[in-house]
Coordinates of all heavy atoms in Angstrom, one line a residue:
A286 N 0.8 -1.2 0.0 CA 0.0 0.0 0.0 C 0.9 1.3 0.0 O 0.6 2.2 -0.7 CB -0.9 0.0 1.2
E287 N 2.0 1.2 0.8 CA 2.8 2.4 0.8 C 3.5 2.6 -0.5 O 3.7 3.8 -1.0 CB 3.9 2.3 1.9 CG 3.3 2.4 3.3 CD 2.6 3.7 3.6 OE1 3.2 4.7 3.3 OE2 1.5 3.7 4.1
H288 N 3.9 1.5 -1.2 CA 4.6 1.7 -2.5 C 3.6 2.2 -3.5 O 3.9 3.1 -4.3 CB 5.1 0.3 -2.9 CG 5.8 0.3 -4.2 ND1 5.4 -0.4 -5.3 CD2 7.0 0.9 -4.6 CE1 6.2 -0.2 -6.3 NE2 7.2 0.6 -5.9
A289 N 2.3 1.8 -3.5 CA 1.3 2.3 -4.4 C 1.1 3.8 -4.1 O 0.9 4.6 -5.1 CB 0.0 1.5 -4.2
K290 N 1.0 4.2 -2.9 CA 0.8 5.6 -2.5 C 2.0 6.5 -3.0 O 1.8 7.5 -3.6 CB 0.7 5.8 -1.0 CG 0.3 7.2 -0.6 CD 0.4 7.4 0.9 CE -0.5 6.4 1.7 NZ -0.5 6.7 3.2
T291 N 3.2 6.0 -2.9 CA 4.4 6.7 -3.4 C 4.3 6.8 -4.9 O 4.6 7.9 -5.5 CB 5.7 6.0 -3.0 OG1 5.7 6.0 -1.5 CG2 6.9 6.7 -3.5
N292 N 4.0 5.7 -5.6 CA 3.9 5.7 -7.0 C 2.8 6.7 -7.5 O 3.0 7.4 -8.5 CB 3.6 4.3 -7.6 CG 4.8 3.5 -7.7 OD1 5.9 4.0 -7.7 ND2 4.7 2.2 -7.7
L293 N 1.7 6.7 -6.8 CA 0.6 7.7 -7.2 C 1.1 9.1 -7.1 O 0.8 9.9 -8.0 CB -0.6 7.5 -6.3 CG -1.9 8.3 -6.6 CD1 -2.4 8.0 -8.0 CD2 -3.0 8.0 -5.6
Y294 N 1.8 9.4 -6.1 CA 2.3 10.8 -5.9 C 3.3 11.1 -7.1 O 3.2 12.2 -7.7 CB 3.1 10.9 -4.6 CG 3.8 12.2 -4.4 CD1 3.1 13.4 -4.2 CD2 5.2 12.2 -4.4 CE1 3.8 14.6 -4.0 CE2 5.9 13.4 -4.2 CZ 5.2 14.6 -4.0 OH 5.9 15.7 -3.9
H295 N 4.2 10.2 -7.4 CA 5.1 10.4 -8.5 C 4.4 10.5 -9.8 O 4.9 11.4 -10.7 CB 6.2 9.3 -8.5 CG 7.1 9.4 -7.4 ND1 7.7 8.2 -6.8 CD2 7.6 10.4 -6.6 CE1 8.5 8.6 -5.8 NE2 8.4 9.9 -5.7
V296 N 3.4 9.8 -10.1 CA 2.7 9.9 -11.3 C 2.0 11.2 -11.4 O 2.0 11.8 -12.5 CB 1.6 8.7 -11.5 CG1 0.6 9.0 -12.6 CG2 2.3 7.4 -11.7
A297 N 1.5 11.7 -10.3 CA 0.9 13.1 -10.4 C 1.9 14.1 -10.7 O 1.6 15.1 -11.5 CB 0.2 13.4 -9.0
L298 N 3.1 14.0 -10.1 CA 4.1 15.0 -10.4 C 4.5 14.9 -11.9 O 4.7 15.9 -12.6 CB 5.4 14.7 -9.6 CG 5.3 15.1 -8.1 CD1 6.5 14.7 -7.4 CD2 5.0 16.5 -7.9
F299 N 4.6 13.7 -12.4 CA 5.0 13.5 -13.8 C 3.9 14.0 -14.7 O 4.2 14.7 -15.7 CB 5.2 12.0 -14.1 CG 5.7 11.7 -15.5 CD1 7.0 12.0 -15.8 CD2 5.0 11.0 -16.4 CE1 7.5 11.7 -17.1 CE2 5.5 10.7 -17.6 CZ 6.8 11.1 -18.0
A300 N 2.7 13.9 -14.4 CA 1.6 14.4 -15.2 C 1.7 15.9 -15.2 O 1.5 16.5 -16.3 CB 0.2 14.0 -14.6
D301 N 2.0 16.6 -14.1 CA 2.1 18.0 -14.1 C 3.3 18.5 -15.0 O 3.2 19.4 -15.7 CB 2.4 18.5 -12.7 CG 1.1 18.4 -11.8 OD1 0.0 18.3 -12.3 OD2 1.3 18.5 -10.6
F302 N 4.4 17.7 -15.0 CA 5.5 18.0 -15.8 C 5.2 17.9 -17.3 O 5.5 18.8 -18.1 CB 6.7 17.1 -15.4 CG 7.9 17.3 -16.2 CD1 8.6 18.6 -16.2 CD2 8.5 16.3 -17.0 CE1 9.7 18.7 -17.0 CE2 9.6 16.5 -17.7 CZ 10.2 17.7 -17.7
I303 N 4.5 16.8 -17.6 CA 4.1 16.6 -19.0 C 3.2 17.7 -19.5 O 3.3 18.2 -20.6 CB 3.4 15.3 -19.1 CG1 4.3 14.1 -18.9 CG2 2.7 15.1 -20.5 CD1 5.6 14.1 -19.7
E304 N 2.3 18.2 -18.6 CA 1.4 19.3 -19.0 C 2.2 20.6 -19.3 O 1.9 21.3 -20.2 CB 0.3 19.5 -17.9 CG -0.7 20.6 -18.3 CD -1.5 20.3 -19.5 OE1 -1.5 19.2 -20.1 OE2 -2.3 21.3 -19.9
K305 N 3.2 20.8 -18.5 CA 4.0 22.0 -18.7 C 4.8 21.9 -20.0 O 4.9 22.9 -20.7 CB 5.0 22.2 -17.5 CG 4.4 22.6 -16.3 CD 5.4 22.7 -15.1 CE 4.6 23.1 -13.8 NZ 5.5 23.1 -12.7
L306 N 5.3 20.7 -20.3 CA 5.9 20.5 -21.6 C 5.0 20.7 -22.8 O 5.3 21.3 -23.8 CB 6.6 19.1 -21.7 CG 7.7 18.8 -20.8 CD1 8.1 17.4 -20.9 CD2 8.9 19.8 -21.1
R307 N 3.7 20.2 -22.6 CA 2.7 20.4 -23.7 C 2.4 21.8 -23.9 O 2.1 22.2 -25.1 CB 1.4 19.6 -23.3 CG 0.4 19.5 -24.4 CD -0.9 18.9 -23.9 NE -1.6 19.7 -23.0 CZ -2.4 20.7 -23.3 NH1 -2.5 21.0 -24.6 NH2 -3.1 21.4 -22.4
L308 N 2.4 22.7 -22.9 CA 2.1 24.1 -23.0 C 3.3 25.0 -23.4 O 3.1 26.2 -23.6 CB 1.4 24.6 -21.7 CG 0.1 23.9 -21.4 CD1 -0.3 24.3 -20.0 CD2 -0.9 24.2 -22.4
T309 N 4.5 24.4 -23.5 CA 5.7 25.2 -23.8 C 5.9 25.1 -25.3 O 6.2 24.1 -25.9 CB 6.9 24.6 -23.0 OG1 6.6 24.7 -21.6 CG2 8.1 25.5 -23.3
P310 N 5.8 26.3 -26.0 CA 6.1 26.3 -27.4 C 7.5 25.9 -27.7 O 8.4 26.3 -27.0 CB 5.8 27.7 -27.8 CG 5.0 28.3 -26.7 CD 5.4 27.6 -25.5
D311 N 7.7 25.2 -28.8 CA 9.1 24.8 -29.3 C 9.1 24.7 -30.8 O 8.6 23.7 -31.3 CB 9.5 23.5 -28.6 CG 10.9 23.2 -29.0 OD1 11.8 24.0 -28.8 OD2 11.2 22.0 -29.4
G312 N 9.6 25.7 -31.5 CA 9.6 25.6 -32.9 C 8.2 25.5 -33.5 O 7.3 26.3 -33.2
D313 N 7.9 24.5 -34.3 CA 6.6 24.3 -34.9 C 5.7 23.4 -34.1 O 4.7 23.0 -34.6 CB 6.9 23.6 -36.3 CG 7.5 22.2 -36.2 OD1 8.0 21.9 -35.1 OD2 7.5 21.5 -37.2
G314 N 6.0 23.2 -32.9 CA 5.1 22.4 -32.0 C 5.3 22.8 -30.5 O 5.7 23.9 -30.2
S315 N 5.1 21.8 -29.7 CA 5.4 22.0 -28.3 C 6.6 21.2 -27.9 O 7.1 20.4 -28.6 CB 4.2 21.5 -27.4 OG 4.2 20.1 -27.4
L316 N 7.1 21.6 -26.7 CA 8.3 20.8 -26.2 C 8.0 19.4 -26.0 O 8.9 18.5 -26.3 CB 8.8 21.5 -24.9 CG 10.2 21.2 -24.4 CD1 11.2 21.4 -25.5 CD2 10.5 22.0 -23.2
L317 N 6.8 19.0 -25.6 CA 6.4 17.6 -25.5 C 6.4 16.9 -26.8 O 6.9 15.8 -26.9 CB 5.0 17.5 -24.9 CG 4.4 16.1 -24.7 CD1 5.3 15.3 -23.8 CD2 3.0 16.2 -24.2
E318 N 6.0 17.6 -27.9 CA 6.0 17.0 -29.2 C 7.4 16.7 -29.7 O 7.6 15.8 -30.5 CB 5.3 17.8 -30.2 CG 3.8 17.9 -30.0 CD 3.1 19.0 -30.9 OE1 3.7 20.1 -31.1 OE2 2.0 18.7 -31.3
H319 N 8.4 17.4 -29.2 CA 9.7 17.2 -29.6 C 10.6 16.4 -28.6 O 11.8 16.5 -28.6 CB 10.4 18.6 -29.9 CG 9.7 19.3 -31.0 ND1 9.5 20.6 -31.0 CD2 9.1 18.8 -32.2 CE1 8.8 21.0 -32.2 NE2 8.6 19.9 -32.9
S320 N 9.9 15.7 -27.7 CA 10.6 15.0 -26.6 C 10.1 13.6 -26.6 O 9.1 13.2 -27.1 CB 10.2 15.7 -25.3 OG 10.6 17.0 -25.2
L321 N 10.9 12.8 -25.9 CA 10.5 11.4 -25.5 C 11.0 11.2 -24.1 O 12.2 11.3 -23.8 CB 11.2 10.4 -26.5 CG 11.0 8.9 -26.2 CD1 9.5 8.6 -26.3 CD2 11.8 8.1 -27.1
L322 N 10.0 11.0 -23.2 CA 10.3 10.8 -21.8 C 9.7 9.5 -21.3 O 8.7 9.0 -21.8 CB 9.6 11.9 -21.0 CG 10.1 13.3 -21.3 CD1 9.1 14.1 -22.1 CD2 10.4 14.1 -20.0
F323 N 10.4 8.9 -20.4 CA 10.0 7.6 -19.8 C 9.7 7.8 -18.4 O 10.4 8.5 -17.7 CB 11.1 6.6 -20.0 CG 11.2 6.1 -21.5 CD1 12.1 6.8 -22.3 CD2 10.5 5.1 -22.0 CE1 12.2 6.4 -23.6 CE2 10.6 4.7 -23.3 CZ 11.5 5.4 -24.1
F324 N 8.7 7.1 -17.9 CA 8.4 7.0 -16.5 C 8.1 5.6 -16.1 O 7.3 5.0 -16.8 CB 7.2 8.0 -16.2 CG 6.9 8.0 -14.7 CD1 7.6 8.7 -13.8 CD2 5.9 7.1 -14.3 CE1 7.2 8.7 -12.5 CE2 5.5 7.1 -12.9 CZ 6.2 7.9 -12.0
G325 N 8.6 5.2 -15.0 CA 8.3 3.9 -14.5 C 8.8 3.7 -13.1 O 9.5 4.6 -12.5
S326 N 8.4 2.7 -12.4 CA 8.9 2.4 -11.1 C 10.1 1.5 -11.2 O 10.3 0.8 -12.2 CB 7.8 1.7 -10.3 OG 8.3 1.2 -9.1
G327 N 10.9 1.6 -10.2 CA 12.1 0.7 -10.2 C 11.7 -0.7 -9.8 O 12.6 -1.6 -9.8
M328 N 10.5 -0.9 -9.4 CA 10.0 -2.2 -8.9 C 8.7 -2.6 -9.5 O 7.8 -1.7 -9.5 CB 9.9 -2.2 -7.4 CG 11.2 -2.1 -6.6 SD 11.0 -2.2 -4.9 CE 10.7 -0.4 -4.5
G329 N 8.5 -3.8 -9.9 CA 7.2 -4.3 -10.3 C 6.3 -4.7 -9.1 O 5.1 -4.6 -9.1
N330 N 7.0 -5.2 -8.0 CA 6.3 -5.6 -6.8 C 7.1 -5.0 -5.6 O 8.2 -5.4 -5.3 CB 6.3 -7.1 -6.7 CG 5.6 -7.6 -5.4 OD1 5.6 -6.9 -4.4 ND2 5.1 -8.8 -5.5
G331 N 6.5 -4.0 -5.0 CA 7.1 -3.2 -3.9 C 7.3 -4.0 -2.7 O 8.2 -3.8 -1.9
N332 N 6.5 -5.1 -2.5 CA 6.7 -5.9 -1.3 C 7.9 -6.8 -1.4 O 8.5 -7.1 -0.4 CB 5.4 -6.7 -1.0 CG 4.2 -5.9 -0.6 OD1 4.4 -4.9 0.1 ND2 3.0 -6.2 -1.0
R333 N 8.1 -7.3 -2.6 CA 9.2 -8.2 -2.8 C 10.5 -7.6 -3.4 O 11.4 -8.3 -3.7 CB 8.7 -9.4 -3.7 CG 7.7 -10.2 -3.1 CD 7.4 -11.4 -4.0 NE 6.4 -12.2 -3.3 CZ 5.8 -13.2 -3.9 NH1 6.1 -13.5 -5.1 NH2 4.9 -13.9 -3.3
H334 N 10.4 -6.3 -3.7 CA 11.5 -5.6 -4.4 C 11.9 -6.3 -5.7 O 13.1 -6.4 -6.0 CB 12.7 -5.4 -3.4 CG 12.4 -4.5 -2.4 ND1 13.1 -3.3 -2.2 CD2 11.5 -4.4 -1.4 CE1 12.7 -2.7 -1.1 NE2 11.6 -3.3 -0.7
E335 N 10.9 -6.7 -6.5 CA 11.1 -7.4 -7.7 C 11.0 -6.4 -8.9 O 10.2 -5.5 -8.8 CB 10.1 -8.5 -8.0 CG 10.2 -9.6 -7.0 CD 9.2 -10.7 -7.1 OE1 8.1 -10.4 -7.7 OE2 9.4 -11.8 -6.7
G336 N 11.8 -6.6 -9.9 CA 11.8 -5.7 -11.1 C 11.0 -6.2 -12.2 O 11.1 -5.7 -13.3
N337 N 10.3 -7.3 -12.0 CA 9.5 -7.9 -13.1 C 8.1 -8.3 -12.5 O 8.0 -8.9 -11.5 CB 10.2 -9.1 -13.6 CG 9.6 -9.5 -15.0 OD1 8.8 -8.8 -15.6 ND2 10.0 -10.7 -15.4
P338 N 7.0 -7.9 -13.1 CA 6.9 -7.0 -14.3 C 7.2 -5.6 -14.0 O 7.0 -5.1 -12.8 CB 5.5 -7.2 -14.8 CG 4.7 -7.4 -13.5 CD 5.7 -8.2 -12.6
L339 N 7.7 -4.9 -14.9 CA 8.1 -3.5 -14.7 C 7.4 -2.6 -15.7 O 7.8 -2.4 -16.8 CB 9.6 -3.3 -14.9 CG 10.2 -1.9 -14.5 CD1 9.9 -1.6 -13.1 CD2 11.7 -1.9 -14.8
P340 N 6.2 -2.0 -15.3 CA 5.5 -1.2 -16.2 C 6.3 0.1 -16.5 O 6.9 0.6 -15.6 CB 4.2 -0.9 -15.5 CG 4.4 -1.3 -14.1 CD 5.6 -2.2 -14.0
L341 N 6.2 0.6 -17.7 CA 6.9 1.7 -18.1 C 6.1 2.5 -19.1 O 5.5 1.9 -20.0 CB 8.3 1.3 -18.8 CG 9.2 2.3 -19.2 CD1 9.8 3.1 -18.0 CD2 10.3 1.7 -20.0
V342 N 6.0 3.8 -19.0 CA 5.3 4.6 -20.0 C 6.2 5.6 -20.7 O 7.1 6.1 -20.0 CB 4.1 5.4 -19.3 CG1 4.6 6.4 -18.3 CG2 3.2 6.1 -20.3
A343 N 6.0 5.7 -21.9 CA 6.8 6.7 -22.7 C 5.8 7.7 -23.2 O 4.7 7.4 -23.7 CB 7.5 6.0 -23.9
V344 N 6.2 9.0 -23.1 CA 5.3 10.1 -23.6 C 6.1 11.0 -24.5 O 7.3 11.2 -24.3 CB 4.6 10.9 -22.5 CG1 3.7 10.0 -21.7 CG2 5.7 11.5 -21.6
G345 N 5.4 11.6 -25.4 CA 6.0 12.5 -26.4 C 5.9 12.0 -27.8 O 5.7 10.8 -27.9
A346 N 6.0 12.8 -28.8 CA 5.8 12.4 -30.1 C 6.9 11.5 -30.7 O 6.8 10.7 -31.5 CB 5.6 13.6 -31.0
A347 N 8.1 11.7 -30.1 CA 9.3 10.9 -30.5 C 9.5 10.8 -32.0 O 9.8 9.8 -32.5 CB 9.2 9.6 -29.9
E348 N 9.3 12.0 -32.6 CA 9.5 12.0 -34.1 C 8.8 10.9 -34.8 O 9.3 10.2 -35.7 CB 11.0 11.9 -34.4 CG 11.8 13.1 -33.8 CD 13.3 13.0 -34.2 OE1 13.6 12.5 -35.3 OE2 14.1 13.6 -33.5
G349 N 7.5 10.8 -34.5 CA 6.6 9.8 -35.1 C 6.7 8.4 -34.6 O 6.0 7.5 -35.2
K350 N 7.4 8.2 -33.5 CA 7.5 6.8 -33.0 C 6.5 6.5 -31.9 O 6.5 5.4 -31.3 CB 8.9 6.6 -32.5 CG 10.0 6.7 -33.5 CD 9.9 5.6 -34.6 CE 11.0 5.8 -35.6 NZ 10.9 4.8 -36.7
G351 N 5.7 7.5 -31.5 CA 4.8 7.3 -30.4 C 3.4 6.8 -30.8 O 3.3 6.2 -31.9
G352 N 2.5 6.9 -29.9 CA 1.1 6.5 -30.2 C 0.8 5.0 -30.3 O -0.1 4.5 -30.9
R353 N 1.6 4.2 -29.5 CA 1.5 2.8 -29.5 C 1.5 2.2 -28.1 O 2.0 2.8 -27.2 CB 2.6 2.1 -30.4 CG 2.5 2.5 -31.8 CD 3.6 2.0 -32.6 NE 4.9 2.6 -32.1 CZ 6.0 1.9 -32.1 NH1 6.1 0.7 -32.6 NH2 7.1 2.5 -31.7
H354 N 1.0 1.0 -28.0 CA 1.1 0.3 -26.7 C 1.9 -1.0 -27.0 O 1.4 -1.8 -27.8 CB -0.3 -0.1 -26.2 CG -0.3 -0.8 -24.9 ND1 -1.1 -1.9 -24.8 CD2 0.4 -0.7 -23.8 CE1 -0.9 -2.4 -23.5 NE2 0.0 -1.7 -22.9
I355 N 3.0 -1.2 -26.4 CA 3.9 -2.3 -26.7 C 3.9 -3.2 -25.4 O 4.2 -2.8 -24.3 CB 5.3 -1.9 -27.0 CG1 5.3 -1.1 -28.3 CG2 6.2 -3.2 -27.2 CD1 6.7 -0.4 -28.6
V356 N 3.5 -4.5 -25.6 CA 3.6 -5.4 -24.5 C 4.7 -6.5 -24.9 O 4.6 -7.1 -25.9 CB 2.2 -6.2 -24.3 CG1 2.3 -7.2 -23.2 CG2 1.1 -5.2 -24.0
C357 N 5.7 -6.6 -24.0 CA 6.8 -7.5 -24.2 C 6.5 -8.8 -23.6 O 5.8 -8.9 -22.5 CB 8.1 -6.9 -23.7 SG 8.5 -5.4 -24.5
P358 N 7.1 -9.9 -24.1 CA 7.0 -11.2 -23.4 C 7.5 -11.1 -22.0 O 8.5 -10.3 -21.7 CB 7.8 -12.1 -24.3 CG 7.9 -11.5 -25.6 CD 7.8 -10.0 -25.3
E359 N 7.0 -11.8 -21.1 CA 7.5 -11.8 -19.7 C 9.0 -12.2 -19.6 O 9.4 -13.0 -20.4 CB 6.7 -12.9 -18.9 CG 7.0 -12.8 -17.4 CD 6.1 -13.7 -16.6 OE1 5.0 -14.0 -17.0 OE2 6.6 -14.2 -15.5
G360 N 9.7 -11.4 -18.8 CA 11.1 -11.6 -18.7 C 12.0 -10.9 -19.7 O 13.2 -11.0 -19.6
T361 N 11.4 -10.1 -20.6 CA 12.1 -9.3 -21.5 C 13.0 -8.3 -20.8 O 12.4 -7.5 -20.0 CB 11.2 -8.6 -22.5 OG1 10.5 -9.6 -23.3 CG2 12.0 -7.8 -23.5
P362 N 14.3 -8.3 -21.0 CA 15.1 -7.3 -20.3 C 14.8 -5.8 -20.7 O 14.6 -5.6 -21.9 CB 16.6 -7.6 -20.7 CG 16.5 -9.0 -21.2 CD 15.1 -9.2 -21.8
L363 N 14.7 -4.9 -19.8 CA 14.5 -3.5 -20.1 C 15.6 -3.0 -21.1 O 15.4 -2.1 -21.9 CB 14.5 -2.7 -18.8 CG 14.2 -1.2 -19.0 CD1 12.9 -1.0 -19.7 CD2 14.2 -0.5 -17.6
A364 N 16.8 -3.6 -21.0 CA 17.9 -3.2 -21.8 C 17.6 -3.4 -23.3 O 18.1 -2.7 -24.2 CB 19.2 -4.0 -21.5
N365 N 16.6 -4.3 -23.6 CA 16.2 -4.4 -25.0 C 15.5 -3.2 -25.6 O 15.7 -2.8 -26.7 CB 15.2 -5.6 -25.2 CG 15.9 -7.0 -25.0 OD1 17.0 -7.1 -24.6 ND2 15.1 -8.0 -25.3
L366 N 14.8 -2.5 -24.7 CA 14.2 -1.2 -25.1 C 15.2 -0.2 -25.3 O 15.2 0.5 -26.3 CB 13.2 -0.7 -24.0 CG 12.6 0.7 -24.2 CD1 11.8 0.8 -25.5 CD2 11.9 1.1 -23.0
W367 N 16.2 0.0 -24.4 CA 17.2 1.0 -24.5 C 18.0 0.7 -25.8 O 18.4 1.7 -26.5 CB 18.1 1.1 -23.3 CG 17.3 1.3 -22.0 CD1 17.6 0.6 -20.8 CD2 16.3 2.2 -21.7 NE1 16.7 1.1 -19.9 CE2 15.9 2.0 -20.4 CE3 15.5 3.1 -22.5 CZ2 14.9 2.7 -19.8 CZ3 14.5 3.8 -21.9 CH2 14.2 3.6 -20.6
L368 N 18.3 -0.5 -26.1 CA 19.0 -0.9 -27.3 C 18.2 -0.5 -28.6 O 18.8 0.1 -29.5 CB 19.4 -2.4 -27.3 CG 20.1 -2.9 -28.6 CD1 21.5 -2.2 -28.7 CD2 20.3 -4.4 -28.5
G369 N 16.9 -0.8 -28.6 CA 16.1 -0.4 -29.7 C 16.0 1.1 -29.9 O 16.0 1.6 -31.0
L370 N 15.9 1.8 -28.8 CA 15.9 3.3 -28.9 C 17.2 3.8 -29.4 O 17.2 4.7 -30.3 CB 15.7 3.9 -27.5 CG 14.2 3.9 -27.0 CD1 14.2 4.3 -25.5 CD2 13.4 4.8 -27.8
A371 N 18.3 3.3 -29.0 CA 19.6 3.8 -29.5 C 19.7 3.6 -31.0 O 20.1 4.5 -31.7 CB 20.8 3.1 -28.8
N372 N 19.3 2.4 -31.4 CA 19.4 2.1 -32.9 C 18.4 2.9 -33.7 O 18.7 3.3 -34.8 CB 19.2 0.6 -33.1 CG 20.4 -0.2 -32.6 OD1 21.6 0.3 -32.7 ND2 20.2 -1.4 -32.1
T373 N 17.2 3.1 -33.1 CA 16.2 3.9 -33.8 C 16.6 5.3 -34.0 O 16.3 5.9 -35.1 CB 14.8 3.8 -33.1 OG1 14.4 2.5 -33.0 CG2 13.8 4.7 -33.7
F374 N 17.2 5.9 -33.0 CA 17.6 7.3 -33.1 C 19.0 7.6 -33.4 O 19.6 8.6 -33.1 CB 17.2 8.0 -31.8 CG 15.7 8.1 -31.6 CD1 15.0 7.2 -30.7 CD2 14.9 8.9 -32.3 CE1 13.7 7.2 -30.6 CE2 13.5 9.0 -32.2 CZ 12.9 8.1 -31.3
G375 N 19.6 6.7 -34.2 CA 20.9 6.9 -34.8 C 22.1 6.7 -34.0 O 23.2 7.3 -34.3
R376 N 22.1 5.9 -33.0 CA 23.2 5.5 -32.2 C 23.4 4.0 -32.2 O 23.1 3.3 -31.2 CB 23.1 6.0 -30.7 CG 22.8 7.5 -30.6 CD 24.0 8.3 -31.1 NE 25.1 8.2 -30.2 CZ 26.3 8.7 -30.4 NH1 26.5 9.5 -31.5 NH2 27.3 8.5 -29.6
P377 N 23.8 3.5 -33.3 CA 23.8 2.0 -33.5 C 24.7 1.3 -32.5 O 25.8 1.7 -32.2 CB 24.3 1.8 -34.9 CG 24.7 3.1 -35.5 CD 24.3 4.2 -34.5
M378 N 24.1 0.2 -31.9 CA 24.8 -0.6 -30.9 C 24.4 -2.0 -31.2 O 23.3 -2.3 -31.6 CB 24.4 -0.2 -29.5 CG 24.7 1.3 -29.2 SD 23.8 1.8 -27.6 CE 24.9 1.0 -26.4
D379 N 25.3 -2.9 -30.9 CA 25.0 -4.4 -31.0 C 24.3 -4.9 -29.7 O 23.6 -5.9 -29.8 CB 26.3 -5.2 -31.3 CG 26.8 -4.8 -32.7 OD1 26.1 -4.6 -33.6 OD2 28.1 -4.8 -32.8
S380 N 24.7 -4.3 -28.6 CA 24.1 -4.8 -27.3 C 24.2 -3.6 -26.3 O 24.8 -2.6 -26.5 CB 24.9 -6.0 -26.8 OG 26.2 -5.6 -26.4
F381 N 23.4 -3.8 -25.3 CA 23.4 -2.8 -24.2 C 23.1 -3.5 -22.9 O 22.0 -4.2 -22.8 CB 22.3 -1.7 -24.5 CG 22.2 -0.7 -23.4 CD1 23.1 0.4 -23.4 CD2 21.3 -0.8 -22.4 CE1 23.1 1.4 -22.5 CE2 21.2 0.2 -21.4 CZ 22.1 1.3 -21.5
G382 N 23.9 -3.4 -21.9 CA 23.7 -4.1 -20.6 C 23.4 -5.5 -20.8 O 24.1 -6.2 -21.5
D383 N 22.3 -6.0 -20.2 CA 21.9 -7.4 -20.3 C 20.9 -7.7 -21.4 O 20.1 -8.6 -21.3 CB 21.4 -7.9 -19.0 CG 20.1 -7.2 -18.6 OD1 19.7 -6.3 -19.2 OD2 19.4 -7.7 -17.6
S384 N 20.9 -6.9 -22.5 CA 20.0 -7.0 -23.6 C 20.1 -8.4 -24.2 O 21.2 -9.0 -24.2 CB 20.2 -6.0 -24.7 OG 21.5 -6.1 -25.3
A385 N 19.0 -9.0 -24.6 CA 18.9 -10.3 -25.2 C 18.5 -10.1 -26.7 O 18.2 -11.1 -27.3 CB 17.9 -11.2 -24.5
G386 N 18.5 -8.9 -27.1 CA 18.1 -8.6 -28.5 C 17.5 -7.2 -28.5 O 17.2 -6.6 -27.4
E387 N 17.2 -6.7 -29.7 CA 16.7 -5.3 -29.8 C 15.2 -5.3 -29.8 O 14.6 -6.1 -30.5 CB 17.2 -4.7 -31.1 CG 16.7 -3.3 -31.4 CD 17.2 -2.8 -32.7 OE1 18.2 -3.3 -33.2 OE2 16.6 -1.8 -33.2
L388 N 14.5 -4.5 -29.0 CA 13.1 -4.3 -29.1 C 12.8 -3.4 -30.3 O 13.3 -2.2 -30.4 CB 12.6 -3.6 -27.8 CG 11.1 -3.4 -27.7 CD1 10.4 -4.8 -27.8 CD2 10.7 -2.7 -26.5
E389 N 12.1 -3.9 -31.3 CA 11.8 -3.2 -32.5 C 10.8 -2.1 -32.2 O 9.7 -2.3 -31.7 CB 11.2 -4.1 -33.6 CG 12.2 -5.1 -34.1 CD 13.4 -4.5 -34.9 OE1 13.2 -3.5 -35.6 OE2 14.5 -5.1 -34.9
L390 N 11.2 -0.8 -32.5 CA 10.3 0.3 -32.3 C 9.8 0.7 -33.6 O 9.3 1.3 -34.2 CB 11.0 1.4 -31.6 CG 11.6 1.0 -30.2 CD1 12.4 2.1 -29.6 CD2 10.5 0.6 -29.3

């Protein structure tokens, strides 16, 4: 219950931050439209301090890469996402941390 309460507080702060980005002009759009931000908890289960499942949300237009819901197979390393992002946005890498492959974005 305490972990859920803490997460709720952090999500509210993140929502406020996202709204400020949405309202901040940046070139031909908003700062949010030109950004990609991630938010998640460091734990999937606060009672057991487990990192799986680890829900994660990405917000921002990400140069046309947003607007989707991706569900990964259980046990997929988070490093697969970071590897996919690096490769998608022009920083090619063969591996990252404990990645087991690239998450296709």
